[in-house]
Amino acid sequence: MPSSRLRAWERRTDSVLLGVGILFLAGWALPIVLPQLPENTDRWLEGIQQTAWALFAADYAIRVWLSDRRRHFIATHIPSLLVVLLPLLRPLAVLRSLLLLTALMRRVTLPLRMRVTVYVSGWACFLALVGAIAVLDAERRSADPTIVTLSDALWWSLTTMTTVGYGDLYPTTLEGRLIAATLMLSGIALLGVVTASIAAWFVERFQQTSAAESRNEADLRLVLAELRKVRARLDELAERRDDGPGTTAGSG
């Protein structure tokens, strides 16, 4: 259970870190999507990335300091630690901004399964976009690339995450293949979550229907039992009525 200070810090910084994550994503993606940008603009965007990364690092350090169980916090937040420590993973720091989705879901009155579906859908769309931009950057350094435009990269990312894999577009660099493997595993995992959520919804509906039918059967049995009692009482009253005149006549 996070400490009260840590929860208060995360509530205050969720929105700020979302903005920082968006700026980080823009600083990383724009030079890839628009390679003709002026050199000054490239340097300015690089500065945005450095600043955003520094803010993420500061946020991680503060959260560790505010945590009551610091070793447990570090052990359960390995991705955040890797983002801070490994420069090659710095583009993935923007994933921290998706934690705002969790905060937003806490404020939205939706069923738990609906929140899971929205959260998974957000992750899938985000990973598809980031994967497309990352593979486009990697394949531009290839001698014989097949993915040369953003539309190619988005199409390849979609077919890879859905495990369709038409084979018309494919990465030729080691970095591109590592990105492809990540998207494949992520797509399988996300598909499994969605499938499990749908299956759980059907099972829950079946259980609710079965429980309703059981309640209806129980209510019906109670009604039949009451009807039997009423009928028995009516039969008893009818017998008394029929016996009454006969007894009077006999005594006369």
Side-chain angles (χ1 to χ4, degrees):
M1 185 70 178
S3 66
S4 58
R5 295 187 304 166
L6 178 59
R7 291 197 301 270
W9 171 264
E10 290 179 341
R11 283 196 301 268
R12 293 173 182 174
T13 58
D14 271 341
S15 300
V16 176
L17 289 177
L18 174 64
V20 173
I22 292 174
L23 289 176
F24 192 100
L25 179 61
W28 169 68
L30 283 177
I32 301 172
V33 178
L34 304 173
Q36 298 84 12
L37 288 174
E39 184 177 352
N40 291 336
T41 304
D42 284 342
R43 286 199 298 267
W44 185 69
L45 293 174
E46 179 65 24
I48 290 179
Q49 293 184 63
Q50 298 289 346
T51 302
W53 176 78
L55 290 175
F56 280 118
D59 170 70
Y60 180 80
I62 292 173
R63 287 191 294 144
V64 171
W65 181 66
L66 293 176
S67 178
D68 293 335
R69 302 168 59 191
R70 295 175 182 174
R71 292 184 178 179
H72 180 266
F73 179 89
I74 294 173
T76 54
H77 293 76
I78 296 299
S80 298
L81 177 62
L82 293 177
V83 164
V84 172
L85 294 181
L86 300 180
L88 292 177
L89 294 182
R90 282 193 304 166
L92 299 182
V94 74
L95 295 178
R96 175 68 176 85
S97 65
L98 285 182
L99 294 179
L100 181 63
L101 184 60
T102 304
L104 291 176
M105 286 298 100
R106 290 197 297 263
R107 297 181 177 91
V108 177
T109 56
L110 289 175
L112 176 61
R113 192 162 293 107
M114 182 65 69
R115 283 184 287 170
V116 170
T117 302
V118 172
Y119 190 74
V120 169
S121 300
W123 265 100
C125 295
F126 186 83
L127 287 177
L129 176 62
V130 171
I133 297 174
V135 80
L136 179 62
D137 183 38
E139 291 303 295
R140 280 180 176 166
R141 295 188 288 271
S142 173
D144 187 21
T146 64
I147 304 172
V148 294
T149 64
L150 181 60
S151 61
D152 290 342
L154 289 172
W155 172 250
W156 169 84
S157 180
L158 178 62
T159 57
T160 300
M161 284 200 67
T162 55
T163 67
V164 175
Y166 287 110
D168 53 342
L169 301 172
Y170 52 90
T172 58
T173 63
L174 177 60
E175 182 180 354
R177 289 170 180 172
L178 291 176
I179 295 170
T182 302
L183 288 182
M184 291 175 194
L185 295 176
S186 301
I188 293 172
L190 293 174
L191 181 61
V193 171
V194 173
T195 303
S197 179
I198 295 174
W201 181 82
F202 276 111
V203 169
E204 181 179 348
R205 295 296 298 177
F206 290 148
Q207 290 176 345
Q208 291 176 352
T209 302
S210 177
E213 291 176 353
S214 299
R215 288 194 298 269
N216 292 336
E217 290 177 359
D219 293 340
L220 181 60
R221 285 194 293 270
L222 289 175
V223 171
L224 291 175
E226 291 295 329
L227 288 176
R228 293 190 187 97
K229 292 180 181 179
V230 171
R231 183 172 181 177
R233 181 60 177 168
L234 291 175
D235 292 342
E236 181 181 352
L237 292 174
E239 290 177 358
R240 289 181 179 179
R241 186 189 62 183
D242 294 340
D243 292 343
T247 303
T248 305
S251 61

